[in-house]
Amino acid sequence: MTVRAREWDVTESLEVRRPPAAVYTALADSRRMAEWSPEVWRVWSRGDRFVGFNRRALWVWFTVCRVVVADPGREYAFDVTSFGLPVARWGYRLTPTPRGTQVTEYWVDHRRHGWRRHLAELLGLLFTGTPAVRRAARNRAGMRQTLRRLAATCEAAD
């Protein structure tokens, strides 16, 4: 029997045929995440904080997010918590290319230490139905879909 090692971070990249400033403008409007993400169905935003309402099959959950990097044309990132427990950082790095922008989406799991880790892991399983060892693979697939949808939206804006 093969035991999978837990992955604590994931990155996926895709080139978008739009300049970094245009891609950043789309990403920095957190309410638009529902257009691209396969899990987010609504976002309530207020300043540098927002609540993401998510669903997958029968599971429905929300997360509280705080923007931690807002560097126009370069990077946009936010930390995710649930009931005050650290969950993850999600972000987007933008690199200019001759044809547009290389968009690298990244996820870093923050459920690593102490008693809060175990509670956050349990909530993650209950809310999403995804065991910790399968979380990175699920996020990777979702990131690919998100990036394809983001690219399609940005490129259609031409």
Side-chain angles (χ1 to χ4, degrees), residues 11-73:
T11 61
E12 285 291 324
S13 295
L14 182 72
E15 187 173 35
V16 177
R17 291 185 310 265
R18 295 286 290 150
V23 177
Y24 181 88
T25 297
L27 288 168
D29 183 352
S30 59
R31 296 167 299 178
R32 297 192 69 191
M33 189 54 66
E35 294 177 43
W36 310 310
S37 171
E39 290 184 347
V40 178
W41 59 273
R42 182 165 166 76
V43 174
W44 179 79
S45 181
R46 186 170 183 112
D48 70 341
R49 297 181 187 273
F50 59 95
V51 177
F53 298 91
N54 310 288
R55 71 172 164 237
R56 186 178 61 78
L58 299 175
W59 288 273
V60 178
W61 70 98
F62 70 93
T63 56
V64 177
C65 307
R66 183 176 58 89
V67 176
V68 293
V69 180
D71 188 359

Side-chain angles (χ1 to χ4, degrees), residues 108-129:
V108 179
D109 197 329
H110 284 179
R111 293 164 279 212
R112 293 185 189 229
H113 306 289
W115 68 270
R116 293 166 52 109
R117 170 193 174 189
H118 300 295
L119 184 54
E121 292 285 6
L122 177 62
L123 289 176
L125 177 60
L126 292 173
F127 292 159
T128 70

